[in-house]
């Protein structure tokens, strides 16, 4: 696991995922882009998932904080609770 903080205009350039990877945004808003080159907006409380070896990039116009979780054969269990 890694903690990532991007300042406004920051970008993680195109690179392959080393193992399966979850990019979980904790604060702020940004964008993610996978193999297709299609960019998607991502914000606090949302996550992106990349497969082992998948090329991807991410960035933010105004800044974001994220948790990166990497490994082989991640067993991801997500739950949503209504309040």
């Amino acid at each position: 696991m890694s903690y990532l903080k991007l300042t406004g205009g920051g970008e993680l350039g195109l690179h392959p995922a080393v193992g399966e990877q979850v990019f979980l945004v904790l604060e702020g808003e940004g964008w993610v882009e996978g193999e297709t080159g299609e960019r998607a907006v991502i914000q606090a409380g949302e996550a992106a998932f990349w497969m082992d070896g998948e090329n991807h990039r991410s960035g933010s116009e105004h800044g974001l904080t994220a948790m990166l979780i990497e490994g082989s054969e991640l067993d991801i269990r997500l739950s949503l609770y209504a309040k």
Side-chain angles (χ1 to χ4, degrees):
M1 290 186 359
S2 300
Y3 181 80
L4 169 72
K5 191 159 191 141
L6 284 177
T7 59
E11 180 177 330
L12 291 173
L14 187 65
H15 63 283
V18 180
E20 295 177 350
Q21 185 178 82
V22 175
F23 182 87
L24 174 62
V25 179
L26 303 174
E27 293 181 333
E29 178 179 289
W31 53 267
V32 293
E33 184 179 304
E35 289 280 345
T36 65
E38 185 176 333
R39 198 170 274 192
V41 174
I42 191 167
Q43 59 191 359
E46 296 179 334
F49 177 80
W50 292 289
M51 297 296 295
D52 184 22
E54 184 178 358
N55 285 317
H56 63 284
R57 72 177 83 206
S58 55
S60 177
E61 293 299 316
H62 304 288
L64 68 74
T65 302
M67 183 66 67
L68 304 176
I69 304 163
E70 300 174 297
S72 62
E73 299 183 28
L74 291 178
D75 185 13
I76 307 297
R77 298 179 198 278
L78 301 175
S79 298
L80 299 175
Y81 295 96
K83 291 185 178 182

